[in-house]
Amino acid sequence: MDVRNCKNCGKLFQYVGKPLCPACNKKLEDKFFEVRDYIYENPTANMSQVSEEMEVPIQQIKKWVREERLAFSKDSGITISCEKCGKPILTGRFCNECKKTMQNDLSKMYGTENKVKKSSTKDPNGKMRFLKN
């Protein structure tokens, strides 16, 4: 059992992946839904306005945007940059082009890795191999 102090209120709680106790985590989730509704009702609001009106730090709003839980409209003028190429995006960590590139790279790597494993474990004659002492 992993017991830690809540990063927000300092109370002890059983850690299950988030650094907040259940009460603080619920407050944060409630605040998220308030922010989401505010952005929906005010699509042209910028991040500073959202932060001030909803009393949420800009860093928390950016975190929700990076997690793809929040997305701003194109009219808002709010963008964040792709972590790989720096291109402006509305939500997430990477732009669509970088996502495709990374997906292709992983597919290629996975495909060649399988070929290497298959060719190295089989005898060319199709027979079982034994290691010699």
Side-chain angles (χ1 to χ4, degrees):
M1 175 166 43
D2 190 10
V3 178
R4 296 187 185 182
N5 290 71
C6 175
K7 284 195 173 192
N8 191 30
C9 67
K11 292 181 183 176
L12 286 174
F13 72 102
Q14 184 175 353
Y15 179 76
V16 288
K18 292 188 178 184
L20 299 175
C21 69
C24 290
N25 192 41
K26 180 166 177 16
K27 287 179 188 175
L28 186 63
E29 286 300 308
D30 291 343
K31 190 56 94 170
F32 165 76
F33 288 113
E34 290 175 20
V35 170
R36 184 193 66 178
D37 293 341
Y38 179 84
I39 291 171
Y40 182 75
E41 294 167 2
N42 303 292
T44 59
N46 65 29
M47 207 171 297
S48 307
Q49 289 172 330
V50 174
S51 175
E52 288 175 21
E53 290 290 322
M54 302 309 300
E55 298 175 355
V56 176
I58 291 177
Q59 288 305 105
Q60 183 61 53
I61 296 171
K62 286 182 179 181
K63 182 178 179 187
W64 287 330
V65 171
R66 290 275 184 213
E67 292 173 348
E68 296 185 6
R69 294 183 73 191
L70 282 181
F72 289 94
S73 69
K74 293 178 183 177
D75 299 333
S76 70
I78 298 174
T79 59
I80 55 175
S81 26
C82 172
E83 290 182 8
K84 188 170 181 183
C85 69
K87 181 179 174 183
I89 54 176
L90 296 174
T91 189
R93 295 178 57 200
F94 304 104
C95 65
N96 288 334
E97 291 81 20
C98 290
K99 283 181 186 178
K100 287 178 186 175
T101 303
M102 288 187 287
Q103 184 178 14
N104 288 338
D105 291 346
L106 286 172
S107 295
K108 288 177 186 175
M109 185 173 59
Y110 181 73
T112 56
E113 185 176 296
N114 278 347
K115 289 178 185 175
V116 170
K117 284 184 179 179
K118 286 181 182 177
S119 64
S120 65
T121 58
K122 289 187 179 178
D123 186 298
N125 298 328
K127 296 179 181 178
M128 190 180 294
R129 296 182 299 148
F130 295 95
L131 297 174
K132 296 179 183 180
N133 291 338

